[in-house]
Amino acid sequence: MSTSSVPLLLDGQWTHPKTQSFSPVHNPSTGEVIGQVPLCGPAEVDAAVQSAQRAYATWSKTPVYDRVAILFKYRHLLNENFEELSQIIVRENGKTIEEARGDMRRGLEVADYACSIGELAKGEYLPELASGIDAHTSREPIGVCAGITPFNFPAMVPMWMYPIAIACGNTFVLKPSEKVPLTANRLAELFLQAGLPDGVFNIVHGGRDVVNALCTHSGIASISFVGSTGVARHVYTEACQHGKRVQSAGGAKNVLLVLPDAKPDATLQAILSSAFGCAGQRCMAGSLLMGVGNGEELREQVVAAMDELVLGNTYDDPAAQMGPVIDGQARDRLFARIEDAKSDGLTLARDGRQNVPADGFFVGPTLVDQVDPERDIFRDELFGPVLSMLHPKTLDEALEWFNRLPFGNAATLFTQDGGAARKFAREVECGMIGINIGVPAPVALFPFSGWDESFFGDLHVQGREGMMFYTRQKTVLSRW
Ligand code: NAD
């Protein structure tokens, strides 16, 4: 098994930096070290920015059909290598193969969307704005764009960013999570194979030193960040102070609210997949379960279904339905939060610390019951397979509790009552809402629209907003 150093992509060349500092990449299912990622710094960031600046001079003037021709070839290669990429995701992230395919599919849809950039980004024209004066607008690229991404979606989150940015005529520097660098490298390799000119897409590996160097480098026009709220706020502040355009997505505490008239089987399936899919490591994962009216019965059904979930090595065992968390630190942190809940007098309706595989970084599905809005576990993002349950008496009480949360990512209501659904969608204070949808994640055509502590900035990733973020508008008035 290779434990070799993971290369950077600078100016179209795979290179190994001089740094002596590395961080191990694990297979979370086994705990085995499968690579060493270099922890780069300002020198490598500067080399990447210079490469991207050189490429920008030509790429920003490349005709749209020529840019899109490369993107079409790229999406063809991504489809051809879909299974191999999904396997890389399983190996370095630990999610199941089906979840890894979903990760790839959602990313691919953004590459598909980017192929329509000519239609999407063309401007407006109005003749005779005044006598003899015509006006038109155009959307121009902004320069060198940077993306900083988390570990939980090794393909999808980077692809929220670079296909659109590059389609718009920008060049790009990606800093993938140091925990999952291998998927990003393979995605880039295929882009080069599709004919992308050297320097249009660059990768610098590392952690906070790379992030801070990107946020302060004068050659970078924009930062797209996705990760936890503390870092998202830091990146937003730092990069804004350095004059950059910033979109910075943070953490979440998403609610699954069940009314007594919800369809039982479909609701149960949606709760399980939302709370425990990807081992609870989705920013859209349901982490607060609220049962209005029939909470006790719902809890028993959920716990019985949790007992049936097969926890295991997703890399070798096709029977595994739920994989590990990303690393030993995440497992230990989650174990400590479960212990804290117990010490606080909360009920562990299911304790996921028991009967977990010995190798790898496993936490079993956990349900903490009798949580109330005053508890830390209500407010803090845990980011793992730990679901907290609350028992509001009414929809109004549930809404009032939800709207106290600092985050504004997602909330779902399960019901067959259209009036309740409408009220929920109107009054819940967050950016992504599901009605009978466990994971209401917008796909490529729509913005990923978190609010409050879940997003810092204005224009979100994906959809038309993604294109707007990566372009600036020019208005021309002419009289001949
Ligand atoms: P993270 O914040 O630890 O890391 C994200 C990126 O920031 C990584 O590239 C990392 O190297 C870098 N980083 C980490 N600490 C830093 C620091 N102190 N200074 C500068 N850079 C730093 O997040 P993670 O653990 O990789 O991912 C999980 C988090 O991402 C969760 O909070 C989840 O909710 C969030 N997330 C949000 C969305 C969304 O759309 N809102 C999507 C996916 C994940």
Side-chain angles (χ1 to χ4, degrees), residues 247-264:
Q247 50 181 194
S248 194
K253 197 80 187 179
N254 308 308
V255 168
L256 302 169
L257 173 54
V258 184
L259 296 188
D261 69 346
K263 288 199 163 173

Side-chain angles (χ1 to χ4, degrees), residues 283-464:
C283 69
M284 297 296 284
S287 52
L288 295 172
L289 175 62
M290 296 190 190
V292 175
N294 61 350
E296 320 284 276
E297 193 187 330
L298 179 66
R299 184 194 56 216
E300 296 319 310
Q301 288 166 350
V302 171
V303 170
M306 287 162 76
D307 284 338
E308 299 294 310
L309 276 176
V310 181
L311 185 66
N313 177 338
T314 51
Y315 189 58
D316 287 326
D317 180 2
Q321 294 171 319
M322 183 178 139
V325 295
I326 189 69
D327 56 20
Q329 235 183 331
R331 176 200 51 207
D332 297 348
R333 180 179 50 76
L334 288 159
F335 277 13
R337 293 304 300 250
I338 297 170
E339 187 55 34
D340 287 350
K342 192 175 165 195
S343 316
D344 278 356
L346 297 171
T347 310
L348 297 185
R350 192 178 190 287
D351 184 347
R353 294 172 298 178
Q354 282 148 19
N355 303 322
V356 293
D359 296 329
F361 312 124
F362 287 92
V363 180
T366 299
L367 184 70
V368 182
D369 196 17
Q370 303 301 334
V371 173
D372 63 65
E374 302 308 318
R375 309 281 181 156
D376 289 346
I377 200 170
F378 173 78
R379 272 185 308 274
D380 299 346
E381 180 183 48
L382 302 191
F383 215 58
V386 180
L387 182 62
S388 296
M389 184 151 192
L390 295 91
H391 299 264
K393 289 187 196 62
T394 60
L395 173 58
D396 282 311
E397 187 171 43
L399 279 166
E400 195 270 314
W401 287 355
F402 179 84
N403 290 342
R404 285 193 213 177
L405 286 167
F407 299 105
N409 211 50
T412 279
L413 180 70
F414 296 96
T415 186
Q416 295 186 70
D417 177 342
R422 181 176 187 278
K423 176 184 169 70
F424 179 78
R426 296 285 309 146
E427 295 183 20
V428 72
E429 289 169 14
C430 68
M432 289 174 279
I433 292 152
I435 306 295
N436 300 315
I437 306 273
V439 181
V443 292
L445 299 173
F446 291 92
F448 207 89
S449 48
W451 288 8
D452 302 331
E453 300 271 293
S454 297
F455 184 76
F456 304 91
D458 175 12
L459 296 168
H460 296 84
V461 295
Q462 290 196 149
R464 202 175 152 70

Side-chain angles (χ1 to χ4, degrees), residues 224-237:
S224 302
F225 175 89
V226 176
S228 53
T229 287
V231 187
R233 190 188 293 105
H234 163 73
V235 163
Y236 182 72
T237 309

Side-chain angles (χ1 to χ4, degrees), residues 82 86 89 93 95 97-109 151-159 183 278:
F82 188 90
S86 303
I89 295 172
N93 172 281
K95 59 180 75 177
I97 185 68
E98 207 33 65
E99 290 164 349
R101 289 179 185 133
D103 192 335
M104 271 300 298
R105 223 172 277 126
R106 294 284 95 84
L108 241 164
E109 285 162 2
F151 76 80
N152 65 329
F153 281 91
M156 178 187 80
V157 175
M159 290 178 82
T183 308
C278 297

